[in-house]
Amino acid sequence: MALRVAVQMDPLETINIAGDSSFALMLAAQARGHSLLHYDVRSLAYDTSEGAGGRLTSWASPITVQRVQGDHYTRDEPRLIDLATDVDVVLMRQDPPFDLGYITGTHLLERLAGTTLVVNDPVSVRNAPEKVMVLDYARFMPPTFIARRVEDVRRFHAAHPGDLVVKPLHGNGGKAVFRVPADGSNLGALAELFGQVWPEPFMVQPFLPSVSKGDKRIVLVDGEIAGAINRRPGEGEFRSNLAVGGSAEATQLTAREEEICAAMGPELKRLGLVFVGIDVIGGQWLTEINVTSPTGIVAIDRFNGSDTGALIWDAIERRHAAMTRS
């Protein structure tokens, strides 16, 4: 059955088609005969004047995509659509920041429950920011501290001497992740900076030297392992994110990584988190669970000869069929 798919994401002209997971998902959808629309979250509107339940709309453009650099999409004129009646699936693929605008979008999309399938489930996305949901699996994490007061962070540092890593609680792509030397010389300045820029606490962890061996991105689809890549830091960097110059290589999962995936997989599926990327350092330390706009499937498929986009659409189609039967 052909589905009508609305993709909530950033402007199409800004994406790098060589590695963008959202673009890969759109290509995979189109190959199956699904039709695509693109809209910006800022065009969402909710109207209760027509009676109980309200009406959620957006201004969306019908699009077609093709893997041609510089000419990767065509777009028709935007039109007002009803997200409950004019589409079957909404792909929520805008990048963080995970701010009040993002959260408000999840509240509005939540009102489509039972009529339009939203992937990932907006309620679960709202309740599972990357560096907060992971705390449910603290047994797999390195020692982790979340706070605002530099005095508290120094106490944590005293208990875990050595270099530290400080990062914003709702950041993405390795942005604003800092390494603090063992003497803590820049810790006060960083705490001051974070307090001025972000209203929420920040996260602190011991620096893991094993990151030099790679930071593994593992993708789970409906709770099952779909594939993985190992990301190594670039020259002069300790961050391994591809967005900041890290390089990808083929990899295999360790027994510990399989244990981590087995522990969280059923819960991810129950929560409607169809496409999830988790990050594991050194084959053993879980650091993030990415549910807002996970990436990595293009590199995984390139190294493994797999088709993760097809697996994701298989899962979406199963869920949509189950929803329409109920």
Side-chain angles (χ1 to χ4, degrees), residues 12-31:
L12 288 168
E13 54 268 25
T14 66
I15 62 176
N16 174 13
I17 68 170
D20 190 272
S21 293
S22 299
F23 186 74
L25 286 174
M26 288 188 285
L27 282 173
Q30 191 173 268

Side-chain angles (χ1 to χ4, degrees), residues 21 77 156 163 171 189 298:
S21 293
E77 287 299 311
F156 174 80
D163 291 9
V298 175

Side-chain angles (χ1 to χ4, degrees), residues 231-252:
R231 302 170 298 181
R232 290 185 180 270
E235 185 69 28
E237 263 287 358
F238 72 95
R239 300 173 297 173
S240 56
N241 307 72
L242 301 184
V244 294
S247 60
E249 62 186 14
T251 190
Q252 299 292 323

Side-chain angles (χ1 to χ4, degrees), residues 91 95 164 171 177 179 206 228 253 266 299:
L91 278 185
D95 288 337
L164 295 176
V177 177
R179 182 174 175 178
L253 298 192

Side-chain angles (χ1 to χ4, degrees), residues 27-326:
L27 282 173
Q30 191 173 268
R32 291 177 174 228
H34 304 327
S35 58
L36 297 170
L37 299 115
H38 170 272
Y39 74 92
D40 188 304
V41 65
R42 292 172 296 182
S43 76
L44 287 177
Y46 192 75
D47 185 357
T48 66
S49 62
E50 296 183 13
R55 181 171 181 252
L56 181 61
T57 62
S58 69
W59 285 90
S61 300
I63 59 168
T64 58
V65 291
Q66 58 184 0
R67 195 174 288 284
V68 178
Q69 187 67 46
D71 186 25
H72 58 278
Y73 71 96
T74 58
R75 173 168 47 201
D76 293 340
E77 287 299 311
R79 55 186 173 88
L80 188 66
I81 64 168
D82 186 321
L83 290 170
T85 59
D86 294 333
V87 299
D88 303 299
V89 175
V90 171
L91 278 185
M92 188 168 59
R93 291 290 306 173
Q94 85 209 60
D95 288 337
F98 194 87
D99 55 15
L100 281 176
Y102 199 106
I103 291 170
T104 301
T106 68
H107 279 294
L108 294 175
L109 291 173
E110 177 185 352
R111 297 178 178 277
L112 297 173
T115 57
T116 300
L117 178 66
V118 182
V119 178
N120 286 323
D121 181 273
V123 177
S124 295
V125 168
R126 185 171 67 243
N127 292 336
E130 274 82 344
K131 297 181 184 68
V132 178
M133 183 187 190
V134 71
L135 300 175
D136 291 342
Y137 302 93
R139 64 192 184 277
F140 299 120
M141 297 177 67
T144 298
F145 195 66
I146 296 174
R148 289 181 63 89
R149 286 168 43 92
V150 68
E151 296 86 354
D152 295 332
V153 179
R154 291 194 190 280
R155 191 175 68 252
F156 174 80
H157 192 195
H160 303 279
D163 291 9
L164 295 176
V165 171
V166 179
K167 47 191 167 184
L169 205 57
H170 300 302
N172 73 304
K175 301 181 184 73
V177 177
F178 294 91
R179 182 174 175 178
V180 176
D183 63 6
S185 56
N186 61 344
L187 188 54
L190 279 177
E192 180 181 308
L193 173 65
F194 274 63
Q196 291 177 351
V197 175
W198 292 282
E200 66 272 0
F202 50 87
M203 176 176 278
V204 184
Q205 294 172 324
F207 173 72
L208 301 174
S210 55
V211 74
S212 63
K213 300 178 183 177
D215 176 0
K216 204 168 293 183
R217 164 54 57 89
I218 306 170
V219 167
L220 295 98
V221 176
D222 236 3
E224 300 291 334
I225 298 168
I229 53 168
N230 195 43
R231 302 170 298 181
R232 290 185 180 270
E235 185 69 28
E237 263 287 358
F238 72 95
R239 300 173 297 173
S240 56
N241 307 72
L242 301 184
V244 294
S247 60
E249 62 186 14
T251 190
Q252 299 292 323
L253 298 192
T254 65
R256 165 84 164 190
E257 289 164 340
E258 291 179 349
E259 180 187 1
I260 293 170
C261 294
M264 67 176 60
E267 182 68 0
L268 297 176
K269 183 173 182 176
R270 185 188 70 81
L271 292 172
L273 297 170
V274 175
F275 178 12
V276 174
I278 70 169
D279 296 336
V280 181
I281 289 178
Q284 62 176 329
W285 296 114
L286 175 68
T287 58
E288 291 189 18
I289 303 174
N290 298 273
V291 303
T292 50
S293 183
T295 62
I297 67 173
V298 175
I300 287 173
D301 290 345
R302 184 171 68 249
F303 284 113
N304 298 343
S306 51
D307 190 347
T308 309
L311 294 177
I312 293 169
W313 280 107
D314 286 344
I316 292 171
E317 290 166 7
R318 285 194 304 269
R319 283 181 173 267
H320 180 264
M323 185 185 75
T324 56
R325 286 196 302 267
S326 61

